[in-house]
Each structure stands twice: as C-alpha cells, then as structure tokens.
Amino acid sequence: MDDDEAIRKALTTAGKLIGRPVRSFASADEFLAGYDPAVPGCLVLDIKMPGMTGVELQRKLIADGTAIPVIVVSGHADVRIAVEVMSRGAVTLLEKPFRLDELLAHIRTAIETDAVNRAKIAERAETESRLAALTPKELEVLDLIVSGKTNKDIAAVLGLSLRAVEDRRARLMKKAEARSIADLIRLRDSLAEGDI
C-alpha cells in the first residue's frame, strides 16, 4: 500500500513475479475497507500516506488482533520509526529506492510467516474444539493426569473407584483424540502456552 502510483505498480509487478495475486491501495482507509483477513498474504506498507500513516495502520491492525505480516517501506524513515515498526513485528523496513530482488525475498519470507501463523491458529482452534467437548468431570481428570497423578492417585483425590477413573480417562482420551498421556499433556500445554 502506497500513495505513489508508480510504487504501487512496482509492488504489483513484484507479486506477479512470484505468482501471487496483488491488490493495491492508495490509503489505509481504502485498505481497511477492502481487506479480508481470511485471505492469506502480507502487507507492503508505506509509512507516509494521506490520512492514517503506515505506523498508525500497523498499530490498528495489532490492536484489532490482525496477524498479517507487514513489510514497511519508506523514503524517509528515522531511527525512532524504524525501531517502532520492527518492535511491533514488521518483517523488515526497506528504504526507497529498494531493489526488486530484495523486496521479493522479504515478500516470500512474509508469506511463509503468514502460512505458519495460520497453521498455528488452525491448530489452536482444533485444540480448543477438542477440549471444549470434554465434560467438567473429564477436565478434572485431565488436570490431574497432566499434574502427574496416576489412576490410583486420581481415584483417591476424587473419591472414585479405580474403574470410574479409568472410564473417564478412556472417554477423555477418545474425545481429545489422544493416543497417549504424552498427547494429552501436549494438547493441554499447547493451549496453555498461547504461542500464537
């Protein structure tokens, strides 16, 4: 996204060179009106634009929970702006004029980053779905399993028979699609880490 039409054409050419569809926008408002978070990709963003600046747009996307990778370009970036956009997760900051091969390399990195992020989000949603299928009693058993308790220990803690604990454990393993205790622990840990 750039208010300079020549730069927008160059960016469109860059996208075509790597076989990716490209949409260009002259302003942040135009981008926000046309952006579909379900479409994978990256955003090449100029710092200086009419209306909302590139830095302000990057802040807004982060505040809105939008995880699109951002490549920032500028003809006049100062150190403070460079530090800010990079600390907010920009893939890079390129100063105009930049080489096309340099831009293409960063676009490829950004697209790979987007694919990895989308896979993590999908995995987390699947994990949440599996855990949401568990009853409160099954979650109680899961928590005790994750904390290292044996079936015998769980029976004592919950005041249940060993058979009742084994039944709950078997149901939660099936619902969670876990083949082992290690799978259950990874499932619970991946949700607790919130690494997305």
Side-chain angles (χ1 to χ4, degrees):
M1 170 179 9
D2 199 299
D3 60 333
D4 182 332
E5 187 175 349
I7 296 291
R8 288 198 312 272
K9 284 182 180 177
L11 295 174
T12 301
T13 300
K16 288 177 182 173
L17 286 173
I18 59 172
R20 297 287 182 160
V22 176
R23 292 184 63 196
S24 65
F25 304 94
S27 70
D29 289 335
E30 192 179 312
F31 168 77
L32 291 170
Y35 175 59
D36 180 359
V39 176
C42 69
L43 174 61
V44 179
L45 175 63
D46 192 3
I47 287 178
K48 296 267 187 183
M49 295 184 299
M52 184 186 298
T53 68
V55 174
E56 291 167 338
L57 177 58
Q58 184 190 28
R59 284 185 203 137
K60 177 172 177 36
L61 292 172
I62 291 167
D64 292 347
T66 303
I68 187 169
V70 175
I71 297 167
V72 179
V73 296
S74 177
H76 31 66
D78 62 29
V79 173
R80 182 189 59 78
I81 289 174
V83 168
E84 180 177 352
V85 298
M86 295 305 291
S87 68
R88 291 183 184 274
V91 173
T92 193
L93 184 139
L94 293 174
E95 287 196 68
K96 297 177 189 175
F98 45 80
R99 293 186 337 267
L100 183 59
D101 62 333
E102 184 180 19
L103 175 63
L104 290 173
H106 290 297
I107 289 173
R108 285 185 183 98
T109 298
I111 289 171
E112 288 169 12
T113 298
D114 186 55
V116 167
N117 289 344
R118 287 176 184 276
K120 285 181 182 178
I121 289 167
E123 184 179 336
R124 184 173 176 87
E126 182 184 336
T127 298
E128 288 173 348
S129 173
R130 285 198 242 160
L131 291 178
L134 301 179
T135 66
K137 289 179 180 182
E138 290 163 349
L139 284 171
E140 191 175 39
V141 171
L142 175 60
D143 288 338
L144 292 168
I145 290 170
V146 170
S147 72
K149 303 281 190 223
T150 64
N151 284 354
K152 193 173 184 178
D153 295 335
I154 294 169
V157 169
L158 299 179
L160 298 171
S161 71
L162 188 56
R163 181 70 185 154
V165 170
E166 289 169 350
D167 287 345
R168 283 188 195 174
R169 184 171 166 166
R171 281 194 308 273
L172 83 87
M173 297 271 297
K174 184 175 181 182
K175 287 182 183 179
E177 300 175 24
R179 292 185 304 271
S180 67
I181 299 302
D183 285 349
L184 282 177
I185 292 170
R186 276 192 294 275
L187 187 71
R188 188 62 159 200
D189 286 350
S190 70
L191 196 58
E193 285 170 9
D195 59 353
I196 299 169

